[in-house]
Amino acid sequence: MPQPPRVALVLVSHSRALAEATAVLARQMTGDTVAIAIAAGSGPDGGELGTDATAIVDAVTAVDGPAGTVVLMDLGSALLSADLALELLDPDVAARVTLTAAPFVEGAVAAAALAGTGAPREAVAREARAALGPKAEHLGEAAEADTPPVTTAGAPSPADAVADQASADHGRTVGTAEAVIRDSAGLHARPAARLVALAAGFTATATLTDLTRGTGPAPLTSMVALARLGVRAGDRLRVAASGPDAEAAVAALAAAIESFTGTGDTPPPLHPKEVTPSGRAIPVAPGVALGPLVRLDRALPDVPERRTDDPAGETARLAAAIATARTMLGAAGRGGTAGDILAVQGALLDDPAIVGRAEALIGTERRDAASAWRAAVAEAAAAYGALDDPYLKAREADVHDIGRAVLRLLVGAAPAGAEGLRPGGPPAVLVVDDLAPSEAAQLDPATVLGVIDRRGGPTSHAAILLRAAGIPAVAGAAALVPAAGGTLAALDGTTGEVWIDPDAATQAALSARRTAFASARPAAPGGGRVTLGDGVEIALWANVSGPADARAARAAGAAGVGLLRTEMLFLDRLDPPSEDEQVAALRAIFGVFAGCPVVVRLLDAGGDKPIPYLAMAAEANPYLGVRGLRLLLARPEVLDAQLRAVLIAGHGHDVRIMLPMVTEADELARTRAALERVHAALAAAGTPHAWPVPLGIMVEVPASALTAARLAAHADFFSIGTNDLTQYTLAAERGHPGLGRFADAAHPAVLRLIAEVVAAGAAAGRPVSVCGEAAADPQVARLLVGLGVRTLSMGAASLAGVAQALDGASVPALAAAARAALAAETAEAARATVAEAAET
């Protein structure tokens, strides 16, 4: 796919040596993706000081393209020569040229970096002009040096516009509170996203001011605006709010700020002058990788600035693309750190500094959705890129990531991919320019041996995800890795060493180093089973969404799959998957766990997982609407196709089918009838398929827990989904920023329902497992075992921790803790019983 046009740069200087050195520095930011021409010096070889208008004309003509050119000049006659060159140029070419008063060196570097992303000419020029901002701020000269960024329409920048509104609201403040942020990284993206989500749970309008630095107020609706506060560790912040629940809002927000203490997956901030040893990249994720070199292709079609006669239609089209992108993020999401990181991107998709700016460009300038979105993203990314804090600066990649995701939907482009990385193909080392979080979240450790990021850094969200996935990686390797070429790559994520096309001796040494590193890693739980002190065995299974998850789970020692989420087959697409597609995808997962039990949950659409092409009716409360099995029974063609796919793909495997959101026995009976009908049709056609197949239910509705004894007459097994069971039992939407204490499955009310299901299963001889997040919580896992659960299913990363928590425990001690937890009043008190049991 051809690369989209990018803004070119022309450097006009009295000194050819200065221009050439600046060009080298600028290309460090962008490689060969941006055309940079030089018009510098005078005389036959440019060896004399001076400028020449005809040389500028030649330079602009040489790099001219549909995206246009930005010209940077050093001083004096360079400006006059550039003005004259504009007059000499062909009028059509001159219309695509912007002369900027940006600082020559800093402006060239900043412009090149932004131009490399495909940003429009106005944004590139604005980024160049703002390039002195970080230096001026560092030296305390910001008031004199800063030039407020101006949009193409002459209005304030998006973050400024939101901040202006915040200032107006601030005048009506009826509640304030102060807090000190203790996170060593300051108010970086993840805590900022949590504050935005928390503020959204109140009707009050809230703002944040950094009293230590004298910045703000910034609205607690915009991550971009919050980033510009420049909050550092130890800063005293003031939360202010106006509205009916202002006092509650400021109290909750201040408490949240005080709670931000940083996590182990966030590396310490880098000193601005910190560098790696000569000839090395920045270590990101430990490990050694050696394999074929492949490059990530993010090519997008050209996005010209088109005008529209239907701004309302374009605004609606943009909203639909953003909604789909948000669904894609949810599908790719994980719990824990990865979930937090993708939540940051979700917050950016709602950020008024981006979305509001794009809508304004559509409404006031009549731009189409694609070009308006691209311009808004470029401006927001530039706001992050201009910051000097490495954590906040690294969020520029997050903005570009969500920008590309929406833009691809708007222009109908295929997802980004790496040529050479194919399912079932040979593993390889991925080379990329600034890996995005959504891209990192989808990398399969079985296919991607390592990552060499030519840009990026150890503080990026992609870096954190690579560490979590155990994929060796380095960053900042542009000087070591060319933008093209190479067939074999190697890296050491601990030392930062990088090799392109290493010789045989180096390959042998690296193989030995890789073996030594792998042998030093901690062992996974043996056989996916933990034997308690009194001989009782607990099976540890995994929750997976695709082949990559399955391979990671098998490598981590899972004894089976307790929850195979099939939503991954239906999300992120414009039409339903065919039966053949479903069969192929399921077979890939079943093959990883050949000989082991695999519980396939049928499509659980609805609630927080809308499927656009199913044309599901809008609902006031989709969590209590037509979702899960209710939707499947209403769409028998979808149900039958999925049942056929599971049976065909499951031939020769230990496959079990689980139904989501079962409320009463009739739903289970109707589904069993459909399953029998599909089996009969396959048998009549002579199609090999799995049979008989156990049919069980996911207990996630209080009604099914309370009537488990009756449902046991129809279900072959129970699996408790504690996520939904908790939110439905405690009447608190999971993830609601203001109701965190009600999102704990250790609450006695939830534990009592689990005990009901375990008792009903034991009486009827039906196995009971837990596949919700509670199984991955070491404390709650001990309570579940105490209640009688003998199979726990969780994400691969949690297996070792849960195994360690159960190791050496005894059933009588855990049962005593569970009984005490059932008698407790709160989740916190219930958890305390586990700690007491561990001490006795």
Side-chain angles (χ1 to χ4, degrees), residues 391-433:
Y391 274 98
L392 297 177
K393 192 178 184 70
R395 301 294 75 77
E396 180 183 2
D398 294 16
V399 176
H400 285 307
D401 191 17
I402 62 107
R404 282 191 297 264
V406 174
L407 197 58
R408 286 183 183 282
L409 293 166
L410 289 172
V411 301
E419 188 62 35
L421 285 179
R422 296 287 180 262
V429 175
L430 181 64
V431 175
V432 59
D433 280 2

Short mmCIF file of all heavy atoms in Angstrom, two decimals, residues 391-433:
data_model
loop_
_atom_site.label_atom_id
_atom_site.label_comp_id
_atom_site.label_asym_id
_atom_site.label_seq_id
_atom_site.Cartn_x
_atom_site.Cartn_y
_atom_site.Cartn_z
N TYR A 391 7.39 11.07 30.52
CA TYR A 391 6.17 10.28 30.60
C TYR A 391 5.07 10.92 29.77
O TYR A 391 4.37 10.26 29.00
CB TYR A 391 5.71 10.18 32.05
CG TYR A 391 6.35 9.04 32.80
CD1 TYR A 391 7.45 9.27 33.61
CD2 TYR A 391 5.89 7.74 32.66
CE1 TYR A 391 8.05 8.24 34.30
CE2 TYR A 391 6.49 6.70 33.34
CZ TYR A 391 7.57 6.95 34.16
OH TYR A 391 8.17 5.92 34.83
N LEU A 392 4.88 12.22 29.96
CA LEU A 392 3.80 12.89 29.25
C LEU A 392 4.12 13.01 27.77
O LEU A 392 3.24 12.86 26.92
CB LEU A 392 3.56 14.28 29.87
CG LEU A 392 3.09 14.25 31.33
CD1 LEU A 392 2.96 15.67 31.86
CD2 LEU A 392 1.78 13.51 31.45
N LYS A 393 5.37 13.27 27.44
CA LYS A 393 5.77 13.38 26.03
C LYS A 393 5.50 12.06 25.30
O LYS A 393 5.10 12.05 24.14
CB LYS A 393 7.24 13.75 25.94
CG LYS A 393 7.71 14.16 24.54
CD LYS A 393 9.17 14.54 24.57
CE LYS A 393 9.63 15.06 23.21
NZ LYS A 393 9.05 16.36 22.90
N ALA A 394 5.70 10.94 26.01
CA ALA A 394 5.49 9.62 25.40
C ALA A 394 4.03 9.38 25.07
O ALA A 394 3.71 8.49 24.28
CB ALA A 394 6.01 8.53 26.32
N ARG A 395 3.11 10.15 25.63
CA ARG A 395 1.69 9.96 25.32
C ARG A 395 1.34 10.45 23.92
O ARG A 395 0.24 10.23 23.44
CB ARG A 395 0.83 10.67 26.35
CG ARG A 395 1.02 10.22 27.79
CD ARG A 395 0.58 8.80 28.04
NE ARG A 395 1.47 7.79 27.54
CZ ARG A 395 2.62 7.43 28.10
NH1 ARG A 395 3.05 8.03 29.19
NH2 ARG A 395 3.36 6.46 27.58
N GLU A 396 2.26 11.16 23.27
CA GLU A 396 2.04 11.56 21.88
C GLU A 396 1.75 10.32 21.04
O GLU A 396 0.90 10.36 20.14
CB GLU A 396 3.28 12.29 21.36
CG GLU A 396 3.16 12.75 19.91
CD GLU A 396 4.44 13.41 19.42
OE1 GLU A 396 5.42 13.47 20.19
OE2 GLU A 396 4.45 13.85 18.27
N ALA A 397 2.43 9.22 21.33
CA ALA A 397 2.20 7.99 20.58
C ALA A 397 0.79 7.46 20.80
O ALA A 397 0.17 6.91 19.88
CB ALA A 397 3.23 6.93 20.99
N ASP A 398 0.24 7.63 22.01
CA ASP A 398 -1.12 7.18 22.28
C ASP A 398 -2.12 7.95 21.43
O ASP A 398 -3.09 7.40 20.91
CB ASP A 398 -1.45 7.37 23.75
CG ASP A 398 -0.62 6.49 24.67
OD1 ASP A 398 0.40 5.97 24.20
OD2 ASP A 398 -0.99 6.34 25.84
N VAL A 399 -1.89 9.26 21.32
CA VAL A 399 -2.80 10.09 20.53
C VAL A 399 -2.76 9.67 19.07
O VAL A 399 -3.79 9.52 18.40
CB VAL A 399 -2.45 11.59 20.68
CG1 VAL A 399 -3.35 12.44 19.78
CG2 VAL A 399 -2.60 12.02 22.13
N HIS A 400 -1.55 9.48 18.54
CA HIS A 400 -1.45 9.04 17.14
C HIS A 400 -2.09 7.67 16.96
O HIS A 400 -2.66 7.38 15.90
CB HIS A 400 0.01 8.99 16.71
CG HIS A 400 0.61 10.35 16.47
ND1 HIS A 400 0.03 11.28 15.63
CD2 HIS A 400 1.74 10.94 16.97
CE1 HIS A 400 0.76 12.38 15.62
NE2 HIS A 400 1.80 12.20 16.42
N ASP A 401 -2.00 6.83 17.96
CA ASP A 401 -2.57 5.49 17.87
C ASP A 401 -4.09 5.54 17.71
O ASP A 401 -4.66 4.93 16.80
CB ASP A 401 -2.19 4.70 19.12
CG ASP A 401 -2.51 3.22 19.00
OD1 ASP A 401 -2.72 2.74 17.87
OD2 ASP A 401 -2.54 2.53 20.03
N ILE A 402 -4.76 6.27 18.60
CA ILE A 402 -6.23 6.35 18.47
C ILE A 402 -6.60 7.12 17.20
O ILE A 402 -7.62 6.87 16.58
CB ILE A 402 -6.88 6.97 19.73
CG1 ILE A 402 -6.40 8.41 19.95
CG2 ILE A 402 -6.62 6.12 20.94
CD1 ILE A 402 -7.42 9.45 19.64
N GLY A 403 -5.72 8.06 16.81
CA GLY A 403 -5.97 8.79 15.57
C GLY A 403 -5.97 7.87 14.37
O GLY A 403 -6.87 7.94 13.51
N ARG A 404 -4.98 6.98 14.29
CA ARG A 404 -4.91 6.04 13.17
C ARG A 404 -6.10 5.09 13.18
O ARG A 404 -6.65 4.74 12.13
CB ARG A 404 -3.60 5.26 13.22
CG ARG A 404 -2.39 6.02 12.72
CD ARG A 404 -1.19 5.11 12.56
NE ARG A 404 -0.77 4.53 13.82
CZ ARG A 404 0.19 5.03 14.58
NH1 ARG A 404 0.81 6.13 14.21
NH2 ARG A 404 0.53 4.44 15.71
N ALA A 405 -6.48 4.63 14.38
CA ALA A 405 -7.58 3.67 14.48
C ALA A 405 -8.87 4.24 13.90
O ALA A 405 -9.57 3.60 13.12
CB ALA A 405 -7.78 3.24 15.93
N VAL A 406 -9.19 5.48 14.28
CA VAL A 406 -10.41 6.11 13.77
C VAL A 406 -10.26 6.44 12.30
O VAL A 406 -11.20 6.25 11.51
CB VAL A 406 -10.74 7.37 14.60
CG1 VAL A 406 -11.92 8.12 14.00
CG2 VAL A 406 -11.03 6.99 16.04
N LEU A 407 -9.09 6.93 11.91
CA LEU A 407 -8.88 7.32 10.52
C LEU A 407 -9.02 6.12 9.59
O LEU A 407 -9.59 6.22 8.49
CB LEU A 407 -7.51 7.97 10.36
CG LEU A 407 -7.29 8.79 9.09
CD1 LEU A 407 -8.31 9.92 9.01
CD2 LEU A 407 -5.88 9.37 9.08
N ARG A 408 -8.52 4.97 10.01
CA ARG A 408 -8.65 3.77 9.17
C ARG A 408 -10.12 3.43 8.95
O ARG A 408 -10.52 3.01 7.86
CB ARG A 408 -7.94 2.59 9.82
CG ARG A 408 -6.43 2.67 9.73
CD ARG A 408 -5.75 1.45 10.32
NE ARG A 408 -4.32 1.60 10.28
CZ ARG A 408 -3.57 1.44 9.20
NH1 ARG A 408 -4.14 1.08 8.07
NH2 ARG A 408 -2.26 1.62 9.24
N LEU A 409 -10.93 3.58 9.98
CA LEU A 409 -12.36 3.31 9.85
C LEU A 409 -13.02 4.32 8.91
O LEU A 409 -13.89 3.97 8.12
CB LEU A 409 -13.02 3.33 11.22
CG LEU A 409 -12.59 2.19 12.17
CD1 LEU A 409 -13.04 2.49 13.59
CD2 LEU A 409 -13.17 0.86 11.70
N LEU A 410 -12.60 5.58 9.03
CA LEU A 410 -13.22 6.62 8.20
C LEU A 410 -12.89 6.46 6.71
O LEU A 410 -13.71 6.77 5.85
CB LEU A 410 -12.77 8.01 8.68
CG LEU A 410 -13.34 8.47 10.02
CD1 LEU A 410 -12.67 9.76 10.46
CD2 LEU A 410 -14.86 8.69 9.91
N VAL A 411 -11.68 5.98 6.41
CA VAL A 411 -11.28 5.87 5.00
C VAL A 411 -11.37 4.44 4.49
O VAL A 411 -11.05 4.17 3.33
CB VAL A 411 -9.86 6.41 4.78
CG1 VAL A 411 -9.77 7.86 5.20
CG2 VAL A 411 -8.82 5.58 5.52
N GLY A 412 -11.81 3.50 5.36
CA GLY A 412 -11.96 2.13 4.91
C GLY A 412 -10.66 1.40 4.68
O GLY A 412 -10.58 0.50 3.84
N ALA A 413 -9.60 1.76 5.44
CA ALA A 413 -8.30 1.11 5.25
C ALA A 413 -8.22 -0.17 6.07
O ALA A 413 -8.88 -0.32 7.09
CB ALA A 413 -7.17 2.05 5.67
N ALA A 414 -7.41 -1.10 5.60
CA ALA A 414 -7.19 -2.35 6.32
C ALA A 414 -6.36 -2.09 7.57
O ALA A 414 -5.62 -1.10 7.63
CB ALA A 414 -6.47 -3.35 5.42
N PRO A 415 -6.47 -2.94 8.59
CA PRO A 415 -5.66 -2.76 9.79
C PRO A 415 -4.17 -2.82 9.47
O PRO A 415 -3.76 -3.45 8.51
CB PRO A 415 -6.08 -3.96 10.68
CG PRO A 415 -7.40 -4.39 10.15
CD PRO A 415 -7.37 -4.09 8.68
N ALA A 416 -3.39 -2.14 10.30
CA ALA A 416 -1.94 -2.18 10.12
C ALA A 416 -1.44 -3.59 10.35
O ALA A 416 -2.01 -4.35 11.13
CB ALA A 416 -1.26 -1.22 11.09
N GLY A 417 -0.37 -3.95 9.67
CA GLY A 417 0.18 -5.29 9.83
C GLY A 417 1.64 -5.32 9.48
O GLY A 417 2.19 -4.37 8.92
N ALA A 418 2.28 -6.42 9.83
CA ALA A 418 3.70 -6.59 9.53
C ALA A 418 3.86 -7.68 8.49
O ALA A 418 3.45 -8.81 8.70
CB ALA A 418 4.46 -6.96 10.80
N GLU A 419 4.41 -7.32 7.35
CA GLU A 419 4.67 -8.29 6.31
C GLU A 419 5.66 -9.32 6.84
O GLU A 419 6.73 -9.00 7.33
CB GLU A 419 5.27 -7.60 5.07
CG GLU A 419 5.39 -8.52 3.87
CD GLU A 419 4.06 -9.04 3.39
OE1 GLU A 419 3.07 -8.29 3.48
OE2 GLU A 419 4.00 -10.18 2.95
N GLY A 420 5.31 -10.59 6.78
CA GLY A 420 6.17 -11.64 7.29
C GLY A 420 5.67 -12.23 8.59
O GLY A 420 6.03 -13.34 8.96
N LEU A 421 4.80 -11.48 9.31
CA LEU A 421 4.20 -12.03 10.53
C LEU A 421 2.83 -12.59 10.16
O LEU A 421 1.85 -11.87 10.05
CB LEU A 421 4.03 -10.93 11.59
CG LEU A 421 5.30 -10.48 12.31
CD1 LEU A 421 4.96 -9.38 13.30
CD2 LEU A 421 5.96 -11.63 13.02
N ARG A 422 2.76 -13.85 9.96
CA ARG A 422 1.53 -14.51 9.56
C ARG A 422 1.21 -15.62 10.56
O ARG A 422 2.12 -16.30 11.05
CB ARG A 422 1.67 -15.12 8.15
CG ARG A 422 1.90 -14.08 7.07
CD ARG A 422 0.61 -13.30 6.81
NE ARG A 422 0.80 -12.28 5.78
CZ ARG A 422 1.04 -11.01 6.02
NH1 ARG A 422 1.14 -10.60 7.27
NH2 ARG A 422 1.16 -10.14 5.04
N PRO A 423 -0.09 -15.83 10.87
CA PRO A 423 -0.44 -16.92 11.77
C PRO A 423 0.16 -18.24 11.27
O PRO A 423 0.00 -18.61 10.11
CB PRO A 423 -1.98 -16.94 11.70
CG PRO A 423 -2.35 -15.53 11.32
CD PRO A 423 -1.26 -15.08 10.40
N GLY A 424 0.85 -18.92 12.15
CA GLY A 424 1.47 -20.17 11.77
C GLY A 424 2.79 -20.01 11.07
O GLY A 424 3.48 -21.00 10.78
N GLY A 425 3.19 -18.77 10.75
CA GLY A 425 4.46 -18.53 10.08
C GLY A 425 5.62 -18.54 11.04
O GLY A 425 5.45 -18.66 12.25
N PRO A 426 6.82 -18.38 10.52
CA PRO A 426 8.00 -18.42 11.40
C PRO A 426 8.05 -17.19 12.29
O PRO A 426 7.71 -16.08 11.87
CB PRO A 426 9.17 -18.43 10.40
CG PRO A 426 8.61 -17.80 9.16
CD PRO A 426 7.18 -18.20 9.11
N PRO A 427 8.50 -17.33 13.53
CA PRO A 427 8.65 -16.17 14.42
C PRO A 427 9.68 -15.20 13.85
O PRO A 427 10.59 -15.58 13.10
CB PRO A 427 9.13 -16.79 15.73
CG PRO A 427 8.73 -18.24 15.64
CD PRO A 427 8.83 -18.59 14.20
N ALA A 428 9.56 -13.92 14.22
CA ALA A 428 10.44 -12.90 13.66
C ALA A 428 10.64 -11.78 14.65
O ALA A 428 9.94 -11.68 15.67
CB ALA A 428 9.84 -12.36 12.36
N VAL A 429 11.62 -10.93 14.35
CA VAL A 429 11.89 -9.72 15.13
C VAL A 429 11.22 -8.55 14.41
O VAL A 429 11.46 -8.34 13.21
CB VAL A 429 13.40 -9.47 15.28
CG1 VAL A 429 13.65 -8.14 15.98
CG2 VAL A 429 14.04 -10.60 16.06
N LEU A 430 10.39 -7.81 15.12
CA LEU A 430 9.62 -6.73 14.52
C LEU A 430 10.37 -5.41 14.66
O LEU A 430 10.79 -5.04 15.76
CB LEU A 430 8.26 -6.62 15.20
CG LEU A 430 7.30 -5.54 14.69
CD1 LEU A 430 6.90 -5.81 13.26
CD2 LEU A 430 6.06 -5.45 15.57
N VAL A 431 10.52 -4.69 13.56
CA VAL A 431 11.10 -3.35 13.56
C VAL A 431 9.98 -2.36 13.28
O VAL A 431 9.20 -2.54 12.34
CB VAL A 431 12.22 -3.21 12.50
CG1 VAL A 431 12.71 -1.77 12.43
CG2 VAL A 431 13.38 -4.15 12.83
N VAL A 432 9.89 -1.31 14.09
CA VAL A 432 8.76 -0.39 13.98
C VAL A 432 9.22 1.00 14.40
O VAL A 432 10.16 1.15 15.16
CB VAL A 432 7.59 -0.88 14.88
CG1 VAL A 432 8.03 -0.96 16.32
CG2 VAL A 432 6.36 0.01 14.75
N ASP A 433 8.55 2.00 13.89
CA ASP A 433 8.77 3.38 14.33
C ASP A 433 7.67 3.75 15.31
O ASP A 433 6.52 3.95 14.93
CB ASP A 433 8.73 4.34 13.13
CG ASP A 433 10.02 4.35 12.35
OD1 ASP A 433 10.93 3.59 12.71
OD2 ASP A 433 10.11 5.11 11.37
#
